[in-house]
Amino acid sequence: MKIQRVDQSTTFKRTVEVGKEKEQKIVESIIKEVRDNGDDALFRYTRELDGAELTQLKVEPTELEEAYQHIEPNVIEAIREAIHRIRDFHQRQVTQSWMTTKADGVMLGQKVTPLDRVGVYVPGGKAAYPSSIMMNIIPAQVAGVGDIAMVSPVQKDGKLPAGVLVTANELGVKEIYKVGGAQAVAALAYGTETIAPVDKITGPGNIYVALAKRAVYGVVDIDMIAGPSDITVLADETAIPSHVAADLLSQAEHDELATAILVTDSEELAEEVSKQVELQLSSLPKEAIARASIEGQGKIYVTKDLEESIDTVNQIAPEHLEIIVQNPMEQLGKIRHAGAIFLGPHTTEPIGDYFAGPNHVLPTEGTARFSSPLSVDDFVKKSSVLSYSKEALLAQADAITTLARLEGLEAHARAVEIRLGDEEND
Amino acid sequence: MKIQRVDQSTTFKRTVEVGKEKEQKIVESIIKEVRDNGDDALFRYTRELDGAELTQLKVEPTELEEAYQHIEPNVIEAIREAIHRIRDFHQRQVTQSWMTTKADGVMLGQKVTPLDRVGVYVPGGKAAYPSSIMMNIIPAQVAGVGDIAMVSPVQKDGKLPAGVLVTANELGVKEIYKVGGAQAVAALAYGTETIAPVDKITGPGNIYVALAKRAVYGVVDIDMIAGPSDITVLADETAIPSHVAADLLSQAEHDELATAILVTDSEELAEEVSKQVELQLSSLPKEAIARASIEGQGKIYVTKDLEESIDTVNQIAPEHLEIIVQNPMEQLGKIRHAGAIFLGPHTTEPIGDYFAGPNHVLPTEGTARFSSPLSVDDFVKKSSVLSYSKEALLAQADAITTLARLEGLEAHARAVEIRLGDEEND
């Protein structure tokens, strides 16, 4: 891996994905087709793009039952345990409505209401990720969303992968549709004969899915549009090089465009990790992908001390941050930007991908400066609540009308004043 | 006003603003110029577009002092009182970091961190709104944002409006820049010699500002892009027609494109309000604007009962909702979508625009289905925190590696397994 000394002139690139024109045009035409022709368009795109001839989009209960025959009991157990832990964590994120009352008859509050209906996109392709289903659907369920519709591209045999079906069934998802790509996003946003429109679409996908989500944003809400995944390991001389290398590679195997970074004040660790990465790379099934990632974006930053290491981490604003230093908890307060923070030598990042409980949908590409992990908050909205007595309105009328007139809004002032006089004046 | 009976076929239009091509091109070229030429570009656009020749962008303390001479003491008092109330409400929105510990040595939590630096856009033009400054800056301050930069288009005389300066000074804003339009948004996103880049841009503006915010979204975060304002009044026969009419007009005077709607099960109220609107319109200073709004978008929906009224409101998903019926509090739980809810006959909507405390930046155009008022939450981000003991990792290793391999991610499994063995193996 490339080793680089950090100094004041070191800059940290933040790539932000931008739409590609050719794909953009394709996505626009797909959305238009789905809006115009509904289910017919979905069947046609599924035939043309996924190579499957369907007569029905919705998954039948019998398909769910059949899927269980292809999944080992220990895998089902692991899925159930993961669901349990993820649900437990997200339940702690629930926010309550609140209301304050004052003696003068003013009541103010905030009402929390779940979204009515949400669509979750589950990618297909080489790796259909059951964890992605859990991470998107559990926060919506915990928030109290009434209707959840799941969409996923169908295989050539007309089926969804067994792992996807079993996971969805374990979660209690009632609506699963065999449709993917931009056409699935368009169907969720605008509705078709079979698929009722939703209020928000979440879940990862390829460039077509990302562009389609961006295109329908405003008609519906969307979650963040994630870029390639990244990890930064902040380590000192106490870290075990082979462990650090394994963690870097666990991110690198995701994607040629993934980023794995080590920040350390130990030159020795830097050298050792670099060697270990090379050593471990050669035995990985996904060596080609991981090697492209390490050679393309992988980097080891050597700093003069822990303080400079932390400053470097804050400039990177990583999606995943491991802290493998003495007393990691002491450094936690100094970390200003990170999607998820893994503390200490045993908290390897993959723990967070499937199992521990926190969400694995995290801000990428430096957006941890202003974005948060997917959470229950993403599936509720808030309404302000105000209630004034006549006495309260009387007491505050002068100030309110003064400010209204300062802004040149006479009708605002009159809406207050009309209430101050004789109530027979209508 | 148009009166229409609601039935099952009634549909409720949701307009979503889309970018215009000509303006889009102008905005793109402005952003490029600011990125390439920094302050020079800002001075040039301010000369060309605002008609003011500046030598300095940042407002000096002497300018703030001078502004106080143009504002009456009772106005300053009203501003201070509004700030106090708005701050008090927003302080109740603060979320705490939390951490849970389990006996097996697993610690999980959520760390809340304020954004580092935020930019607030304050529109100029006919009505410079002090309330808009308060509503954007107070939640950022309560969240603990370190740096807040305010930008606002300068008047031809090279000054900002006195009301804007006094309000900003009362809030303790230290950085105020005389620059507006797409150029101000570009400066906040990318930085210039004078203006350091921010992490998030909030605040309303014209079409150029809105398109510029959309263009820089991803480089920085933005708040929602608001459409024209709207109000829905849900009333029964107990409502006083003149009051309802005054409330509808207070929204209509904002903008020709504003929407004012009455939903009622009382045909008599419908008729009376329609007459009152006409009566009150003729004496309004902004009669032309309000009339265009009422004639363009204004509507009275007559329903068969309260239940149908509430269902209609939920389909509209209004920005502002007044509930003027018997026992308004009893209906609150049935309202699923509204930005702000004003309960009872005395809670006229203008109370919420300036003074009561809740934010006036609210979801428009039916987006209350999935969006919330601007809040302290918009100025913090969260990080998940995980910490595992070796025992906890050992206990869960099987399930974690099973799930990793189900997803075909061998390096993930190995990052766990390398920690299970002899720690000397590096």
Side-chain angles (χ1 to χ4, degrees):
Chain A
M1 285 178 82
K2 293 181 209 81
I3 301 182
Q4 181 183 334
R5 276 220 157 266
V6 170
D7 62 31
Q8 297 209 327
S9 70
T10 312
T11 56
F12 305 91
K13 186 184 60 166
R14 289 180 186 131
T15 327
V16 177
E17 193 187 348
V18 286
K20 292 167 185 163
E21 250 174 67
K22 197 188 104 208
E23 288 87 348
Q24 181 70 39
K25 285 221 156 45
I26 295 172
V27 164
E28 279 166 20
S29 85
I30 291 176
I31 293 174
K32 187 175 180 311
E33 272 296 303
V34 174
R35 290 187 71 175
D36 291 348
N37 299 312
D39 284 350
D40 279 353
L42 300 185
F43 285 123
R44 184 162 67 76
Y45 285 121
T46 301
R47 189 168 59 235
E48 290 173 6
L49 303 173
D50 301 315
E53 186 76 56
L54 298 181
T55 53
Q56 181 178 325
L57 294 165
K58 194 169 178 181
V59 169
E60 288 288 317
T62 51
E63 295 178 79
L64 294 170
E65 283 160 34
E66 200 219 310
Y68 277 80
Q69 294 161 22
H70 304 282
I71 304 290
E72 298 294 324
N74 71 317
V75 173
I76 296 176
E77 269 320 299
I79 289 172
R80 286 180 184 159
E81 181 62 22
I83 289 172
H84 171 75
R85 287 175 187 270
I86 296 165
R87 191 166 280 152
D88 184 61
F89 182 86
H90 286 81
Q91 267 157 354
R92 293 166 203 270
Q93 293 178 329
V94 174
T95 5
Q96 304 296 329
S97 299
W98 53 262
M99 181 73 94
T100 67
T101 56
K102 293 186 186 162
D104 63 358
V106 172
M107 292 175 55
L108 300 175
Q110 191 170 276
K111 177 179 185 289
V112 182
T113 317
L115 270 58
D116 280 354
R117 182 171 163 81
V118 164
V120 172
Y121 189 93
V122 176
K126 291 163 287 185
Y129 290 166
S131 59
S132 173
I133 307 174
M134 304 180 205
M135 294 297 184
N136 280 277
I137 285 178
I138 291 172
Q141 290 178 325
V142 171
V145 172
D147 288 352
I148 298 173
M150 193 178 113
V151 295
S152 192
V154 73
Q155 300 171 153
K156 282 200 173 50
D157 64 2
K159 295 179 181 173
L160 292 182
V164 166
L165 291 177
V166 166
T167 307
N169 192 59
E170 289 294 324
L171 289 165
V173 180
K174 299 283 171 239
E175 280 182 62
I176 309 172
Y177 300 103
K178 297 183 213 174
V179 60
Q183 58 274 23
V185 174
L188 290 172
Y190 295 103
T192 68
E193 298 89 327
T194 305
I195 303 178
V198 302
D199 297 310
K200 181 165 187 163
I201 300 172
T202 75
N206 62 18
I207 180 74
Y208 298 98
V209 172
L211 289 172
K213 279 167 67 181
R214 194 173 293 202
V216 301
Y217 175 50
V219 179
V220 299
D221 196 15
I222 59 169
D223 62 343
M224 66 195 87
I225 293 178
S229 197
D230 66 81
I231 191 171
T232 294
V233 180
L234 167 64
D236 65 11
E237 78 286 351
T238 65
I240 299 173
S242 62
H243 297 191
V244 172
D247 295 352
L248 294 172
L249 289 172
S250 78
Q251 208 57 28
E253 78 169 338
H254 270 302
D255 189 347
E256 289 93 342
L257 295 176
T259 299
I261 292 174
L262 168 63
V263 179
T264 182
D265 55 2
S266 162
E267 211 150 329
E268 200 189 322
L269 185 76
E271 297 290 349
E272 288 301 316
V273 168
S274 181
K275 280 181 214 158
Q276 276 288 335
V277 164
E278 190 52 42
L279 205 67
Q280 294 181 25
L281 252 179
S282 55
S283 73
L284 280 183
K286 300 200 175 188
E287 180 188 351
I289 293 174
R291 189 176 293 279
S293 159
I294 293 291
E295 287 175 2
Q297 296 80 242
K299 196 158 261 183
I300 299 176
Y301 291 112
V302 178
T303 63
K304 61 174 192 290
D305 55 20
L306 182 59
E307 196 187 333
E308 193 177 63
S309 288
I310 289 171
D311 185 55
T312 300
V313 165
N314 280 327
Q315 288 191 61
I316 294 169
E319 182 191 9
H320 305 94
L321 172 65
E322 288 187 1
I323 305 185
I324 311 182
V325 300
Q326 277 200 311
N327 305 321
M329 192 60 95
E330 278 179 21
Q331 310 310 325
L332 183 57
K334 299 174 194 158
I335 303 300
R336 292 205 315 281
H337 315 299
I341 304 168
F342 300 78
L343 293 172
H346 310 296
T347 318
T348 177
E349 187 275 334
I351 291 175
D353 283 345
Y354 314 102
F355 203 72
N359 210 288
H360 80 190
V361 181
L362 297 168
T364 56
E365 300 184 313
T367 57
R369 285 176 298 133
F370 49 73
S371 293
S372 305
L374 191 71
S375 77
V376 172
D377 273 345
D378 292 298
F379 297 99
V380 301
K381 67 269 169 58
K382 290 155 189 167
S383 305
S384 303
V385 180
L386 301 87
S387 175
Y388 265 54
S389 65
K390 183 158 188 186
E391 295 65 41
L393 184 64
L394 273 169
Q396 299 175 24
D398 266 0
I400 296 170
T401 55
T402 297
L403 288 171
R405 291 189 170 118
L406 175 68
E407 300 196 344
L409 296 172
E410 178 65 21
H412 283 59
R414 291 190 190 173
V416 172
E417 285 168 351
I418 200 169
R419 286 169 160 86
L420 303 180
D422 175 4
E423 296 219 345
E424 309 306 295
N425 68 353
D426 56 314
Chain B
M1 285 177 83
K2 292 180 211 82
I3 301 181
Q4 182 182 335
R5 275 219 160 266
V6 170
D7 62 33
Q8 296 208 327
S9 70
T10 312
T11 56
F12 304 92
K13 187 185 59 168
R14 290 177 185 135
T15 326
V16 176
E17 194 186 348
V18 286
K20 292 166 184 162
E21 250 175 68
K22 198 189 104 207
E23 288 87 348
Q24 182 70 38
K25 285 221 155 44
I26 294 173
V27 164
E28 278 166 21
S29 85
I30 291 176
I31 292 174
K32 186 174 180 312
E33 272 295 302
V34 173
R35 290 187 71 174
D36 290 350
N37 299 311
D39 284 351
D40 279 353
L42 300 184
F43 285 123
R44 183 163 67 76
Y45 286 119
T46 302
R47 192 169 57 234
E48 290 173 7
L49 302 174
D50 301 316
E53 185 76 56
L54 298 181
T55 54
Q56 181 180 325
L57 294 165
K58 194 168 176 181
V59 169
E60 288 288 317
T62 50
E63 295 177 80
L64 294 170
E65 282 161 34
E66 202 218 309
Y68 277 81
Q69 293 162 22
H70 303 282
I71 303 290
E72 298 294 324
N74 72 315
V75 173
I76 296 176
E77 269 320 299
I79 289 172
R80 287 181 184 160
E81 181 64 20
I83 290 172
H84 170 74
R85 286 175 188 270
I86 296 165
R87 190 166 282 153
D88 183 61
F89 182 84
H90 286 80
Q91 268 157 355
R92 294 168 203 270
Q93 293 178 329
V94 174
T95 12
Q96 304 295 329
S97 300
W98 53 264
M99 182 73 94
T100 68
T101 56
K102 293 185 186 164
D104 62 358
V106 172
M107 292 174 54
L108 300 175
Q110 191 169 277
K111 178 178 186 287
V112 181
T113 317
L115 269 59
D116 281 353
R117 183 170 163 83
V118 163
V120 172
Y121 189 93
V122 176
K126 291 163 287 186
Y129 290 166
S131 58
S132 172
I133 306 174
M134 303 180 205
M135 293 298 183
N136 280 277
I137 285 179
I138 291 171
Q141 290 179 326
V142 171
V145 172
D147 289 352
I148 298 173
M150 191 178 115
V151 296
S152 192
V154 71
Q155 301 172 150
K156 282 201 171 51
D157 64 2
K159 295 179 182 173
L160 293 182
V164 167
L165 291 176
V166 165
T167 307
N169 191 60
E170 289 294 323
L171 288 165
V173 180
K174 299 285 173 238
E175 280 182 62
I176 309 171
Y177 300 102
K178 297 182 212 173
V179 61
Q183 59 273 23
V185 174
L188 290 172
Y190 294 103
T192 68
E193 299 88 326
T194 304
I195 303 177
V198 302
D199 298 309
K200 180 163 187 165
I201 301 172
T202 75
N206 62 19
I207 179 73
Y208 297 98
V209 172
L211 289 173
K213 280 167 66 181
R214 194 173 293 202
V216 301
Y217 176 51
V219 179
V220 298
D221 195 17
I222 59 169
D223 60 345
M224 66 194 89
I225 293 178
S229 197
D230 67 81
I231 191 171
T232 294
V233 179
L234 166 64
D236 64 12
E237 77 288 350
T238 65
I240 299 173
S242 63
H243 296 191
V244 173
D247 295 351
L248 294 173
L249 289 171
S250 78
Q251 207 57 29
E253 77 169 337
H254 269 300
D255 189 346
E256 288 92 343
L257 295 176
T259 298
I261 292 174
L262 168 63
V263 179
T264 183
D265 55 3
S266 161
E267 210 150 330
E268 198 190 321
L269 185 76
E271 297 290 348
E272 288 302 316
V273 168
S274 182
K275 279 181 211 158
Q276 276 289 335
V277 165
E278 190 53 43
L279 204 69
Q280 294 181 25
L281 252 179
S282 56
S283 72
L284 279 184
K286 300 201 174 187
E287 180 188 350
I289 293 175
R291 190 175 292 280
S293 159
I294 292 291
E295 287 175 3
Q297 295 80 241
K299 194 159 266 181
I300 299 176
Y301 290 111
V302 178
T303 62
K304 62 175 190 292
D305 54 21
L306 182 58
E307 195 187 333
E308 192 177 64
S309 288
I310 287 172
D311 185 55
T312 300
V313 165
N314 279 327
Q315 288 192 62
I316 295 170
E319 181 191 9
H320 305 92
L321 171 66
E322 289 186 1
I323 305 185
I324 310 182
V325 299
Q326 275 198 316
N327 305 323
M329 191 61 94
E330 277 179 23
Q331 311 310 325
L332 183 57
K334 299 173 194 159
I335 304 300
R336 292 204 317 279
H337 316 297
I341 304 168
F342 300 79
L343 293 172
H346 310 296
T347 317
T348 177
E349 188 275 334
I351 292 175
D353 282 345
Y354 313 104
F355 202 71
N359 211 288
H360 79 191
V361 181
L362 298 168
T364 56
E365 299 182 315
T367 57
R369 286 176 297 132
F370 49 74
S371 294
S372 304
L374 191 70
S375 78
V376 172
D377 273 345
D378 291 299
F379 296 99
V380 300
K381 67 270 168 55
K382 290 154 191 168
S383 305
S384 303
V385 180
L386 301 86
S387 176
Y388 264 54
S389 65
K390 184 157 188 188
E391 295 66 42
L393 185 64
L394 273 169
Q396 299 176 24
D398 265 0
I400 297 170
T401 55
T402 296
L403 289 171
R405 290 190 170 116
L406 176 68
E407 300 198 344
L409 297 171
E410 178 64 21
H412 283 60
R414 292 192 189 172
V416 172
E417 284 168 351
I418 200 169
R419 286 172 159 85
L420 303 181
D422 175 4
E423 295 218 345
E424 309 306 294
N425 67 353
D426 57 311

